[in-house]
Amino acid sequence: ARGARLWCIVAVDTEDAQVGLWKAAVDDGRAIGIPVALCSPCAAACSALGGAGEALFGDFSVKLILNAISTSAQIDKGMVMGNRMINVGVSNNKLFHRAIELVVLLTRCSRDKGTTAILKAIYGDEFCSEMRKRSIVQHIEAATPQERVVPTAIALVYGAEGGVESIRAKLRTASVRDIVAALQREESAA
């Protein structure tokens, strides 16, 4: 949930080459408000992994820390919906299709409606049905510099008004969850 706090516990051995990277991750975490506890050393866990255990444990620990920090930042920015990160850059074929699937999954709309919403989010207010005939490569080239494609598409499916640029402007200050909740309240009040 937005505003939830995550604790990171980082095992630091002062002889470890990973200390610099760990400390950078800890500083990044604290910068976004994640309380971080340091403990030293974590010999039992490292020795249990065998000869290369320390390097493996160190690399894996750093990965977990960085994942926790980036996930927390995405949650705080409102870029998680339905337990899915929706801040997907549409920069290749796999991510283009993932973006469509996210819209379909999170809004329970048809694949056709999800695709149309993604294309509207990519092309903005100039979108027309003829653009659907363009190749996926052309869609990806147009989408790559765009921000907030999936959140914009989700808001479009839920009926956000004012045009794509207006929705993007709203998403700079409000999360898509907040926008969708407001749209649903308006719909139920009508």
Side-chain angles (χ1 to χ4, degrees):
R2 192 174 191 152
R5 289 291 166 236
L6 171 72
W7 271 89
C8 286
I9 299 176
V10 184
V12 176
D13 181 346
T14 55
E15 301 298 318
D16 197 317
Q18 296 288 336
V19 169
L21 188 52
W22 275 333
K23 288 184 178 173
V26 167
D27 290 343
D28 288 347
R30 287 181 176 153
I32 62 169
I34 299 174
V36 182
L38 297 174
C39 64
S40 174
C42 194
C46 291
S47 64
L49 294 171
E54 288 184 28
L56 176 64
F57 184 74
D59 291 343
F60 186 65
S61 293
V62 171
K63 179 188 182 330
L64 291 177
I65 293 164
L66 296 175
N67 283 350
I69 290 168
S70 65
T71 300
S72 180
Q74 292 295 314
I75 291 168
D76 281 347
K77 289 182 349 185
M79 292 297 174
V80 174
M81 186 175 173
N83 215 20
R84 309 256 183 198
M85 281 197 203
I86 59 171
N87 195 19
V88 176
V90 184
S91 57
N92 62 42
N93 189 43
K94 179 181 86 172
L95 294 175
F96 177 79
H97 290 288
R98 181 178 296 161
I100 293 169
E101 291 304 318
L102 279 169
V103 172
V104 169
L105 176 74
L106 295 172
T107 65
R108 297 186 177 145
C109 70
S110 69
R111 183 164 177 83
D112 186 58
K113 188 171 184 175
T115 301
T116 300
I118 286 290
L119 294 176
K120 284 181 180 179
I122 291 169
Y123 292 108
D125 298 324
E126 292 82 37
F127 175 77
C128 66
S129 59
E130 286 297 310
M131 291 177 172
R132 289 184 68 96
K133 296 177 184 174
R134 293 182 182 174
S135 70
I136 291 176
V137 171
Q138 289 173 307
H139 296 321
I140 292 166
E141 287 173 359
T144 299
Q146 302 292 333
E147 293 182 357
R148 299 175 181 87
V149 172
V150 173
T152 302
I154 290 170
L156 285 168
V157 170
Y158 276 106
E161 297 179 7
V164 172
E165 294 309 316
S166 173
I167 294 168
R168 279 197 189 118
K170 289 176 189 172
L171 286 168
R172 287 186 191 98
T173 58
S175 73
V176 71
R177 284 189 318 256
D178 295 339
I179 292 171
V180 167
L183 290 167
Q184 289 173 333
R185 281 191 302 273
E186 288 174 13
E187 184 178 290
S188 65

